[in-house]
Amino acid sequence: MKIGNIEFGPQPLFLAPMEDVTDIGFRHLCKRFGASMVYTEFVSAEALVRSVNATLKKLNISDEERPVGIQIYGRDVESMVEAAKIVEQARPDVIDINFGCPVKKVAGKGAGAGMLQNIPLLLNITREVVKAVNTPVTVKTRLGWNSENIVIGDLAEALQDCGIQALTIHGRTRAQMYTGDADWTPIGEVKSNPRIHIPIIGNGDICTPEQARDAFERYGVDAVMVGRATFGRPWIFKEMRDFLDGRPADPTLTFDRKLDILLEQLRINVERIDEYRGILHTRRHIAASPIFKGIPDFRQTRIAMLRATTVDELTSIMEQVRAMINGKD
């Protein structure tokens, strides 16, 4: 598989762009554990054009995480073109356009998946962004606005005609938000369309190595993008990569090592931002991490972790959990 001049090995695994999740620290961890490409949090085109400082900071990328994509979203041609030019100065490997975010504050204003209600504008934005930059442009979108308007088959061809170099498809409609099951059948149909020659990246409900394998084998996608299953689990890429490549599960991925990885993520975020916001960035991952599932009477401990306001406090709680688990062994 190839996007622009970027060569990927067989069955590449991508980290999905996710707001308040895919900060630079988390991207570095996912890259270390085998993610073939990572993406920044999505960036508002209007905020970029207005030079909003918090938004500009999202453009910070490093050579260690390459190849890396920066994703933008917006609702008009002019701001999206200007934003793409600003993003290009940050030297990402890919500029991705978000036509898939379903949340009300984005889609409800006509951006993200909201563009699925205005396909001519969606295509015009894509066409003009492609013309405005030299960096490869890709798109991430959904099957359609709702189950009565599944448009991805024709839309994929039209986007390809606009000059994009890869297409990521999330197997849900906007109306579904993140509920129900992702439907990969339309993704497979796009991939098997003989008129489609750009890479097709599948996304939605890939939570296990077996599901990643099935996505490649059953639907023929060129890459699999992993999203929510990475929360508190950057090592999922190692688990998937080993499985796809026919290697046994890594015996070093013990509870202790996984806890150490979460503590490292905490340190990275605190050093990168500050103690308060670094903890906020990390708590979401800690709350979602599967390593704590199945621990008896863990609810109060989880609440305590989510209420911790200092590194020492949060670290102390996590080390108490470690001692409890090791004491059982």
Side-chain angles (χ1 to χ4, degrees):
M1 175 190 169
K2 188 175 181 181
I3 299 177
N5 293 322
I6 310 167
E7 291 278 4
F8 298 95
Q11 299 183 325
L13 301 166
F14 292 177
L15 171 66
M18 292 174 284
E19 180 69 1
D20 294 327
V21 176
T22 55
D23 54 60
I24 192 168
F26 187 62
R27 298 196 305 268
H28 277 198
L29 287 173
C30 291
K31 173 64 69 171
R32 183 198 305 171
F33 285 106
S36 301
M37 183 149 78
V38 297
Y39 292 79
T40 65
E41 304 168 76
F42 69 177
V43 179
S44 163
E46 292 182 7
L48 272 184
V49 172
R50 297 198 315 270
S51 298
V52 175
N53 190 49
T55 301
L56 290 171
K57 287 182 177 178
K58 291 182 179 181
L59 302 186
N60 292 334
I61 57 177
S62 67
D63 288 339
E64 289 77 16
E65 59 183 308
R66 293 187 184 279
V68 56
I70 295 178
Q71 188 185 70
I72 58 175
Y73 72 94
R75 57 184 177 178
D76 67 81
V77 174
E78 184 177 358
S79 65
M80 286 290 280
V81 166
E82 185 61 28
K85 292 178 180 178
I86 295 170
V87 165
E88 189 167 48
Q89 294 174 19
R91 296 175 49 248
D93 298 284
V94 164
I95 297 174
D96 192 62
I97 304 177
N98 182 313
F99 293 137
C101 179
V103 300
K104 187 175 181 179
K105 70 177 183 179
V106 175
K109 295 180 180 179
M115 279 289 166
L116 292 168
Q117 291 187 298
N118 190 343
I119 300 298
L121 178 57
L122 180 157
L123 295 175
N124 196 25
I125 286 174
T126 306
R127 192 177 300 111
E128 293 305 315
V129 167
V130 168
K131 289 195 304 189
V133 295
N134 294 315
T135 305
V137 174
T138 61
V139 162
K140 186 172 189 284
T141 190
R142 290 187 167 224
L143 303 179
W145 180 256
N146 55 34
S147 59
E148 288 75 42
N149 293 277
I150 303 296
V151 298
I152 193 60
D154 291 338
L155 180 59
E157 290 191 43
L159 285 167
Q160 178 177 264
D161 290 343
C162 290
I164 67 169
Q165 298 194 37
L167 173 63
T168 301
I169 305 170
H170 182 102
R172 287 183 174 88
T173 64
R174 189 273 170 174
Q176 283 181 275
M177 301 293 286
Y178 295 102
T179 63
D181 296 327
D183 183 3
W184 279 68
T185 299
I187 301 175
E189 290 172 351
V190 170
K191 177 56 190 173
S192 63
N193 180 348
R195 292 184 294 276
I196 293 292
H197 55 78
I198 59 173
I200 300 299
I201 304 156
N203 175 228
D205 294 348
I206 302 299
C207 302
T208 68
E210 292 80 7
Q211 288 171 331
R213 177 196 59 194
D214 290 347
F216 283 114
E217 293 183 354
R218 292 182 59 187
Y219 303 102
V221 291
D222 297 285
V224 165
M225 182 174 283
V226 189
R228 289 173 292 166
T230 65
F231 291 6
R233 192 184 174 188
W235 55 82
I236 192 173
F237 291 102
K238 180 74 166 70
E239 296 171 337
M240 290 181 172
R241 187 77 271 150
D242 285 345
F243 184 81
L244 291 171
D245 293 345
R247 291 188 295 271
D250 185 347
T252 70
L253 281 176
T254 60
F255 176 88
D256 275 340
R257 187 180 176 201
K258 291 174 181 177
L259 191 68
D260 286 340
I261 293 164
L262 294 180
L263 288 169
E264 180 184 358
Q265 185 177 353
L266 173 63
R267 290 192 297 271
I268 289 171
N269 283 335
V270 168
E271 291 170 2
R272 183 179 60 88
I273 320 172
D274 56 48
E275 185 170 48
Y276 175 72
R277 289 181 296 163
I279 289 171
L280 288 181
H281 266 258
T282 312
R283 285 194 313 201
R284 177 172 191 165
H285 290 276
I286 292 171
S289 183
I291 71 171
F292 301 116
K293 290 181 179 178
I295 299 177
D297 304 317
F298 193 71
R299 183 172 180 272
Q300 291 305 315
T301 304
R302 188 184 299 276
I303 291 172
M305 288 194 299
L306 295 180
R307 288 178 176 172
T309 56
T310 68
V311 171
D312 287 346
E313 182 184 5
L314 183 51
T315 300
S316 176
I317 296 168
M318 293 172 72
E319 290 296 350
Q320 289 172 22
V321 175
R322 187 200 303 272
M324 180 180 67
I325 292 295
N326 289 340
K328 288 184 177 181
D329 290 339

